[in-house]
Amino acid sequence: MSIIIPEGTLILDTIVGTLNLFKMANSYSKRIGNNQEDFFKIDLVGLTKEPISCHEYFQIKPTKTIEEVESTNLIIISSITGNIEDALVKNEPFINWIKMRRIKDDADVASLCRSAFILAETGLLNGKTCATHWVVHQKFEEKYPKIHLLPDKIISEDNGIYSSGGAYSFLNMIVYLIEKYYGRETAIWCSKMAEIDFDRINQNQFVIFKGQKEHSDEIIKAVQIYIEENFEEKLSVKDLAKKFAISSRTFIRRFKKATLNTPLEYMQRVKVEVAKKSFESSTLNINQVMYNVGYNDQKSFRKTFKKYTGLSPLEYRTKYNREMALS
């Protein structure tokens, strides 16, 4: 297997964590008699063998270059950070190499966190599903309209092409891959030894909604700000369109184009984000929070809250409010 060491600003944890978990899986699989030798021979693959710096603290040295890899059956693309466009330019040689190995070796390919952008550049994701960090969902959807983004998922699998959600959810992806290759017993053992929450599937509860304002439609930005400042009111699409002097049909079309949400979805997400913060920092009960964000029906509030967080209001408050958890 090949763990790609990208050029530029990389996230060291996704390399070290991946390496250690697969070494654990190799060791345990031999111990229980499933394999006589390591199931995977692991290479750290770079564009050169020169050490690559990670911030000012660490360096990591590839064991092989892409030219030295004769064949591989699994490619894991370590996560990138910083300016995505710059990272794609610096790592362009990996893109053709990944495509070639997919064709020649029928290699499975997995991206971790934001490295979904590198995987997307290969074209292997076109028409397929994908997961990545929630912070870059809007940019990813705009850049790759042929790919079906799964915004709430931690893991996506589509015909040997894998991708994971943000940050340390890559650990769940690696355990998932270990189960695929080594079997469930080895995966469970690795998850217990590394204390990784097994079978966690969505990242909704971790999303911090900041409003999608990285667009040039100034009227829609004004609508967004108005929604955010008047979240407790019962706003309608018709009223908003009238207030900003746009026909309802044009308003909905422009809003969706600019934010990738319908106006109703945007209003719901703003209300849910306010509710989340209230549950995290106050002792208000669920009904009080519900009324404060403009809901009158508990069933509707609970359904909408769970849609965007993956948890019920009670589950979220219990998990993230220290005072409530201790009580």
Side-chain angles (χ1 to χ4, degrees):
M1 67 173 287
S2 303
I3 302 174
I4 285 181
I5 312 301
E7 294 287 327
T9 311
L10 55 82
I11 298 180
L12 184 65
D13 301 30
T14 62
I15 301 168
V16 175
T18 299
L19 178 64
N20 285 340
L21 280 168
F22 273 104
K23 288 176 70 175
M24 288 169 62
N26 276 341
S27 177
Y28 185 74
S29 186
K30 287 191 292 185
R31 188 192 311 172
I32 62 176
N34 285 352
N35 298 290
Q36 297 294 317
E37 299 179 352
D38 287 347
F39 184 82
F40 276 121
K41 180 182 181 299
I42 306 168
D43 284 309
L44 305 182
V45 180
L47 298 180
T48 72
K49 283 189 175 180
E50 291 298 313
I52 298 173
S53 296
C54 182
H55 305 294
E56 67 267 33
Y57 303 110
F58 307 103
Q59 286 188 327
I60 189 158
K61 191 176 186 300
T63 58
K64 284 187 177 180
T65 67
I66 53 177
E67 290 80 13
E68 293 173 328
V69 177
E70 295 180 1
S71 66
T72 188
N73 46 15
L74 175 61
I75 298 168
I76 296 180
I77 312 171
S78 306
S79 186
I80 55 175
T81 187
N83 186 290
I84 289 172
E85 298 299 334
D86 288 348
L88 292 178
V89 171
K90 290 176 181 176
N91 291 284
E92 187 175 1
F94 280 123
I95 294 166
N96 287 330
W97 180 81
I98 292 167
K99 286 192 288 186
M100 180 185 69
R101 297 270 65 103
R102 175 72 172 172
I103 294 167
K104 287 189 174 182
D105 304 329
D106 194 26
D108 288 347
V109 185
S111 66
L112 306 181
C113 194
R114 299 187 192 200
S115 67
F117 284 83
I118 293 176
L119 180 54
E121 288 291 315
T122 68
L124 296 173
L125 276 173
N126 289 347
K128 293 183 171 65
T129 59
C130 180
T132 188
H133 198 298
W134 57 265
V135 165
V136 292
H137 281 171
Q138 183 176 7
K139 182 176 179 64
F140 191 90
E141 287 188 311
E142 291 172 349
K143 192 172 178 64
Y144 306 110
K146 294 181 180 179
I147 299 171
H148 178 47
L149 183 67
L150 302 175
D152 62 327
K153 296 299 181 184
I154 283 176
I155 296 168
S156 171
E157 175 187 356
D158 199 326
N159 192 30
I161 304 293
Y162 303 87
S163 51
S164 74
Y168 284 87
S169 65
F170 86 88
L171 295 169
N172 298 89
M173 164 65 87
I174 301 306
V175 171
Y176 183 82
L177 291 173
I178 287 170
E179 181 179 5
K180 288 283 180 181
Y181 286 100
Y182 296 82
R184 192 168 181 86
E185 180 183 350
T186 299
I188 291 174
W189 184 84
C190 289
S191 75
K192 288 182 176 180
M193 292 302 293
E195 299 191 14
I196 299 168
D197 186 9
F198 197 71
D199 284 343
R200 184 165 69 88
I201 61 171
N202 93 40
Q203 61 179 329
N204 276 356
Q205 62 183 287
F206 304 109
V207 173
I208 303 170
F209 183 67
K210 296 182 178 179
Q212 300 100 327
K213 298 189 181 73
E214 296 177 5
H215 58 81
S216 57
D217 194 324
E218 296 302 324
I219 291 179
I220 297 303
K221 282 182 184 178
V223 176
Q224 290 173 266
I225 293 169
Y226 183 83
I227 291 171
E228 291 163 11
E229 292 177 348
N230 298 275
F231 62 84
E232 71 283 358
E233 296 182 14
K234 190 173 183 180
L235 303 172
S236 72
V237 171
K238 183 179 178 181
D239 290 341
L240 286 170
K242 184 178 179 180
K243 180 175 180 63
F244 288 88
I246 315 173
S247 71
S248 293
R249 180 178 293 183
T250 301
F251 172 61
I252 293 170
R253 177 180 56 79
R254 284 175 59 176
F255 198 98
K256 181 72 182 287
K257 181 181 179 182
T259 70
L260 303 178
N261 281 262
T262 66
L264 176 60
E265 289 169 339
Y266 196 88
M267 288 186 276
Q268 288 175 335
R269 295 187 69 176
V270 168
K271 290 175 183 289
V272 167
E273 191 62 29
V274 174
K276 282 165 58 181
K277 290 176 181 176
S278 185
F279 285 139
E280 291 165 12
S281 60
S282 76
T283 57
L284 296 177
N285 63 40
I286 292 170
N287 281 342
Q288 289 172 313
V289 172
M290 177 185 74
Y291 294 136
N292 287 348
V293 297
Y295 278 89
N296 294 311
D297 179 68
Q298 193 176 91
K299 183 178 179 181
S300 175
F301 174 64
R302 188 166 55 246
K303 182 180 178 181
T304 303
F305 191 90
K306 191 161 188 175
K307 174 184 176 182
Y308 292 109
T309 68
L311 300 173
S312 71
L314 180 59
E315 289 169 335
Y316 190 92
R317 185 179 66 163
T318 301
K319 186 167 187 174
Y320 289 103
N321 188 305
R322 183 175 181 273
E323 184 174 343
M324 299 304 296
L326 289 175
S327 65

